[in-house]
Amino acid sequence: MSQQQYLTTLGKQAKAASFALANLSSQNKNALLRCISEQLTLNTEAILAANDQDVQAAKANGLTDAMIDRLLLDSERLAGIIADIENVINLADPVGSESASQLLDNGLRLTQRKVPLGVVGVIYEARPNVTVDIAVLALKTGNVVILRGGKETLTSNKVLSEVIRTALTLQGLPEDAVQLINSTDRDLVTGLLRLDQYVDMIIPRGGQTLQRLCAEKASIPVILGGIGICHLYLDKSADLSRSAEVIINAKVQRPTVCNALDTLLVHEAVAAEFLADLFTQMSALGVSFYTCEKTQQLFAASQFDIHPATDETFSTEWLSLTLGVKIVTDIDQAITHIRQHSSGHSEAILSDDINATCHFMNQVDSAAVYVNASTRFTDGSQFGLGAEVAVSTQKLHARGPMALDALTTYKWLATGDYTSRS
């Protein structure tokens, strides 16, 4: 079978399955998700064993610690993934809800009804949790998925997808509602991007190279996002005694994810006082720094791991224990820096000045903007949305953490009384 025949078969099977799922009741969909949860629990040992194979292969191939952390599943992480399924079960099902009902002058009763997108293709890298998260959210909204994970997690993804397909079969539903492209051939990615006869939307979850490939090659609508060059601005009016904890949380709690802090911008009025203590605390946690000239001058004689920053480093998503630092003259210089270097993901301000916080929220145009909080909250579960499909940094259809509503579209329902247009 050629690559095109293989992809066409996946597409046909997915489209056929989408008709079976489109009008499932919320009760049936929730029963399916509970079955998936049960099957994942029953197969925990096999899942972890498969993931261990991926981890050992990654270490043998010299993958970075950050990448290995992304692909790692242990008992605690798998339990968290399963627990998130219950969160999704408890969320309201948007499919079938109606709005904008009105009786028009032409005699038609017009209503908008939310319906599934249909077939969603998802391309992602070294995160096996995405396999479960996406499948669960898609099935909750009556969608089917074609998944293409990274080569680093192929063994894990095969087991996870088969467990989910088993649950579909147990519930009397087509197992092809969830399909995994089980080859690492990159040509299959390009082929999936052009499978517009069967696939309704593409969601890439990965680095800049993957995002650009999808944007340039797809003949299907693409949701771009997942690149997080995140900033936090420390204003001169911030409570310095409480600020370090938030900054450290944003950078250190889990540095390998897209909502981790990449650049700290500090008002010059508090920089000398604040940064000495912050650098001491963060250095003890293994953080290194790429800093502006003013910051280097302040700490020229220090033992901190400091390197000179450039436009390139300020435009880098670190995904590691590395932090860019720049001293700014005022809030507007901070905003200008964010506009130049941000990916549009998440930005934050620490300030007790209401005028400053309002100005920041109005002027910074990212998917999530925080006041006196860590950027680490840009996450579907933290936003009360359940597990997320992705974090969108574009402006059409969906923005920020994408959950159930973002996996629906709508159709117009028009009812007349044998009505003709005059």
Side-chain angles (χ1 to χ4, degrees):
M1 182 183 295
S2 69
Q3 289 184 346
Q4 188 56 50
Q5 288 173 326
Y6 171 65
L7 288 171
T8 299
T9 298
L10 292 183
K12 287 181 177 179
Q13 291 170 169
K15 183 62 75 174
S18 72
F19 299 134
L21 265 69
N23 293 301
L24 275 184
S25 69
S26 296
Q27 182 179 1
N28 288 339
K29 287 186 280 190
N30 287 338
L32 170 59
L33 298 195
R34 287 194 177 92
C35 188
I36 292 173
S37 177
E38 292 167 0
Q39 289 301 308
L40 289 171
T41 301
L42 288 172
N43 288 277
T44 292
E45 186 176 337
I47 293 167
L48 296 182
N51 183 252
D52 186 62
Q53 292 182 44
D54 287 330
V55 170
Q56 296 308 317
K59 290 179 179 178
N61 291 327
L63 269 66
T64 64
D65 290 343
M67 184 64 74
I68 291 172
D69 179 66
R70 284 184 168 212
L71 66 85
L72 175 66
L73 280 182
D74 54 24
S75 297
E76 183 178 356
R77 287 188 181 182
L78 183 56
I81 293 168
I82 295 171
D84 279 338
I85 297 175
E86 188 63 33
N87 294 335
V88 176
I89 290 171
N90 292 330
L91 293 172
D93 181 1
V95 175
S97 62
E98 296 183 350
S99 61
S101 180
Q102 56 183 317
L103 181 61
L104 304 178
D105 292 341
N106 58 23
L108 292 180
R109 168 67 66 181
L110 197 63
T111 303
Q112 271 187 2
R113 178 182 296 171
K114 287 190 176 180
V115 296
L117 289 169
V119 180
V120 180
V122 186
I123 306 165
Y124 52 108
E125 295 176 344
R127 289 191 182 179
N129 64 293
V130 174
T131 302
V132 179
D133 291 348
I134 289 174
V136 165
L137 284 171
L139 295 171
K140 173 79 175 190
T141 47
N143 291 289
V144 308
V145 286
I146 299 175
L147 304 171
R148 203 285 189 177
K151 63 180 181 181
E152 303 85 359
T153 54
L154 182 59
T155 307
S156 302
N157 289 338
K158 283 181 177 179
V159 175
L160 289 168
S161 62
E162 284 306 317
V163 169
I164 294 169
R165 286 163 63 87
T166 297
L168 282 158
T169 301
L170 290 172
Q171 293 295 304
L173 296 167
E175 64 178 5
D176 291 328
V178 175
Q179 297 182 89
L180 175 74
I181 295 176
N182 58 15
S183 169
T184 59
D185 191 329
R186 294 193 176 187
D187 288 342
L188 288 170
V189 173
T190 305
L192 176 61
L193 295 177
R194 305 195 66 80
L195 207 62
D196 52 271
Q197 185 177 352
Y198 305 106
V199 178
D200 299 290
M201 177 178 285
I202 294 289
I203 302 175
R205 289 189 57 158
Q208 187 66 40
T209 301
L210 174 61
Q211 301 286 326
R212 294 318 312 161
L213 173 69
C214 293
E216 293 168 4
K217 300 294 185 182
S219 60
I220 306 165
V222 177
I223 295 289
L224 298 177
I227 307 298
I229 302 174
C230 302
H231 299 78
L232 187 149
Y233 166 59
L234 181 75
D235 188 45
K236 63 181 179 181
S237 69
D239 184 341
L240 300 185
S241 67
R242 303 173 67 192
S243 295
E245 180 181 353
V246 176
I247 295 167
I248 292 170
N249 173 265
K251 176 72 262 181
V252 174
Q253 190 212 29
R254 195 172 179 191
T256 61
V257 293
C258 60
N259 57 23
L261 180 63
D262 294 292
T263 300
L264 173 66
L265 305 168
V266 183
H267 195 290
E268 62 181 6
V270 296
E273 173 188 1
F274 181 77
L275 286 177
D277 181 60
L278 179 71
F279 280 14
T280 299
Q281 293 186 60
M282 297 190 81
S283 293
L285 296 168
V287 178
S288 60
F289 308 93
Y290 280 78
T291 69
C292 66
E293 289 185 11
K294 289 183 179 179
T295 308
Q296 291 178 60
Q297 291 169 6
L298 281 177
F299 300 102
S302 74
Q303 299 299 311
F304 302 130
D305 186 4
I306 293 178
H307 310 273
T310 64
D311 281 346
E312 182 179 357
T313 65
F314 279 133
S315 296
T316 298
E317 182 187 26
W318 292 113
L319 301 174
S320 64
L321 289 173
T322 306
L323 180 67
V325 180
K326 181 176 181 177
I327 296 172
V328 295
T329 56
D330 56 25
I331 188 173
D332 287 315
Q333 188 180 16
I335 291 169
T336 298
H337 180 95
I338 291 170
R339 288 174 176 172
Q340 180 179 352
H341 297 283
S342 173
S343 62
H345 193 292
S346 301
E347 329 295 346
I349 179 175
L350 298 179
S351 176
D352 286 343
D353 181 346
I354 190 171
N355 292 320
T357 58
C358 288
H359 183 61
F360 189 87
M361 284 191 290
N362 290 336
Q363 295 298 319
V364 173
D365 186 22
S366 291
V369 183
Y370 296 90
V371 173
N372 297 331
S374 167
T375 58
R376 285 283 290 115
F377 286 101
T378 309
D379 174 84
S381 61
Q382 293 295 318
F383 276 21
L385 304 175
E388 70 188 27
V389 179
V391 176
S392 169
T393 55
Q394 64 183 38
K395 298 184 181 182
L396 293 180
H397 175 66
R399 197 178 193 196
M402 293 176 57
L404 299 182
D405 275 345
L407 289 175
T408 65
T409 182
Y410 60 82
K411 61 183 177 184
W412 292 100
L413 302 178
T415 303
D417 184 16
Y418 296 87
T419 307
S420 299
R421 179 171 175 173
S422 59

